[in-house]
Amino acid sequence: MPIQIRGYDITSFDKNHEETDIFFAGIAHLEYNSKIADVGFEGRHEKGVTGFIDFDLKDPDQIDIPQVRARADEIRDVLAEHLLESGYEAGEYRDVLTLQDHS
């Protein structure tokens, strides 16, 4: 059964005074087998740098769906790649990203 990121909310988006560093945070809505888990994330992007300087899920060990918790690193990577391509300004996004089973 695939895991889906069924949207996310960017709740915080801040630039430093020189607008060279961007800090953002949000909540990803994950679904597996009709079970839902909301997982926080935060990141930092520096102007002129390809990729994020920092990007992590908040407390992935607290995800209450074992199948989702076991793939937290992969979920983080898929979400980070998507945000780099799509943007990460504050707002509600309903993009659906699917992580297929490895079996």
Side-chain angles (χ1 to χ4, degrees), residues 3-21:
I3 295 170
Q4 289 190 320
I5 301 170
R6 300 193 55 82
Y8 51 91
D9 304 320
I10 307 290
T11 56
S12 174
F13 179 86
D14 297 308
K15 294 180 183 180
N16 68 349
H17 182 67
E18 296 83 22
E19 295 190 5
T20 55
D21 284 333

Side-chain angles (χ1 to χ4, degrees), residues 39-60:
V39 179
F41 60 87
E42 57 190 3
R44 178 177 158 237
H45 190 217
E46 189 173 293
K47 188 175 185 177
V49 174
T50 302
F52 291 121
I53 301 298
D54 295 310
F55 186 85
D56 285 306
L57 297 180
K58 294 181 183 176
D59 300 322

Side-chain angles (χ1 to χ4, degrees), residues 24-79:
F24 62 94
I27 298 171
H29 311 292
L30 309 174
E31 182 178 354
Y32 177 81
N33 198 20
S34 299
K35 297 177 186 169
I36 304 292
D38 289 333
V39 179
F41 60 87
E42 57 190 3
R44 178 177 158 237
H45 190 217
E46 189 173 293
K47 188 175 185 177
V49 174
T50 302
F52 291 121
I53 301 298
D54 295 310
F55 186 85
D56 285 306
L57 297 180
K58 294 181 183 176
D59 300 322
D61 55 327
Q62 299 299 315
I63 298 171
D64 61 352
I65 304 169
Q67 296 86 345
V68 173
R69 185 174 51 248
R71 295 180 66 190
D73 288 345
E74 185 179 356
I75 292 165
R76 178 201 61 219
D77 294 346
V78 167
L79 183 58

